[in-house]
């Protein structure tokens, strides 16, 4: 089914381990985003990408790495996980342009717990 | 920088009550404004949006009007249902000519619980 998917949906890891969260969209949207959701903070932008091989930092990028070799995939890597990175992570995408294309579409989220 | 402030929750209402969730913003120019809804255990879904001043977004009985003079985008519904229980997020996206790359700035969210 078309849309935006994230995997895994749930992940438990230990401090210091590397973790990669996957995001895949089938719409060929130019823009993709990673947010984290924490109580009392709403959603905060980690990284975004305007196209394949073009990425940029958001509000809270420290401790994260992204890549985008293909338009449809935008993986997020925690190089050395810390407890403060326990959160729910959402991927989103949108097309390039104004007006009706303003909408960002969100994936179902990945709940990450770092022990 | 851009910011969104929405009323603190949680909000608890009885079924058929009137709902208002306040949202104000700080941004340069004319951003696009959004309300997203997150049902328990799910991702965010767009509820409604408005892209210019005085526009009214509406969906599923919810409404919000883009008020430039008060920099507000309050969410309203005349008669809430139990199924409306969710977290509601107000968000803005700056005008594209500012080179914003369409980043969304979110409020902290308001948890709404509707009791039968």
């Amino acid at each position: 089914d078309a849309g935006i998917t994230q995997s895994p949906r749930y992940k438990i890891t230990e401090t210091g381990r590397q973790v990669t969260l996957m995001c895949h969209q089938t719409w060929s949207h130019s823009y993709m985003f990673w947010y984290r959701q924490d109580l009392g903070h709403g959603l905060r932008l980690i990284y975004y990408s305007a196209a394949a091989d073009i990425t940029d930092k958001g509000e809270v990028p420290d401790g994260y790495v992204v890549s985008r070799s293909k338009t449809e995939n935008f993986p997020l890597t925690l190089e050395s996980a810390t407890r403060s990175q326990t959160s729910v992570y959402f991927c989103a995408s949108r097309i390039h342009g104004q007006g009706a294309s303003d909408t960002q579409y969100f994936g179902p989220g990945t709940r990450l717990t770092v022990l | 920088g851009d910011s969104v402030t929405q009323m603190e929750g949680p909000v608890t209402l009885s079924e058929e009550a009137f709902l208002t969730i306040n949202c104000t913003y700080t941004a340069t120019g004319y951003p696009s404004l959004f309300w997203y809804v997150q049902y328990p255990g799910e991702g965010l879904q767009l509820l409604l949006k408005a892209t210019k001043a005085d526009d009214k977004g509406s969906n599923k009985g919810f409404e919000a009007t883009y008020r430039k003079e008060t920099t507000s985008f309050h969410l309203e519904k005349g008669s809430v249902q139990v199924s409306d229980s969710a977290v509601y997020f107000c968000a803005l996206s700056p005008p594209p000519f500012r080179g914003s790359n369409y980043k969304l700035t979110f409020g902290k969210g308001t948890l709404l619980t509707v009791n039968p």
Side-chain angles (χ1 to χ4, degrees), chain B residues 71-92:
Chain B
T71 61
S72 65
F73 193 55
H74 304 320
L75 182 68
E76 296 182 336
K77 186 174 185 182
S79 177
V80 293
Q81 305 300 311
V82 172
S83 58
D84 294 326
S85 297
V87 180
Y88 292 82
F89 292 94
C90 186
L92 71 80

Side-chain angles (χ1 to χ4, degrees), chain B residues 85-113:
Chain B
S85 297
V87 180
Y88 292 82
F89 292 94
C90 186
L92 71 80
S93 179
F97 61 80
R98 283 179 55 202
S100 66
N101 287 315
Y102 311 117
K103 292 179 286 184
L104 282 172
T105 298
F106 285 90
K108 293 183 179 181
T110 301
L111 173 63
L112 170 66
T113 302

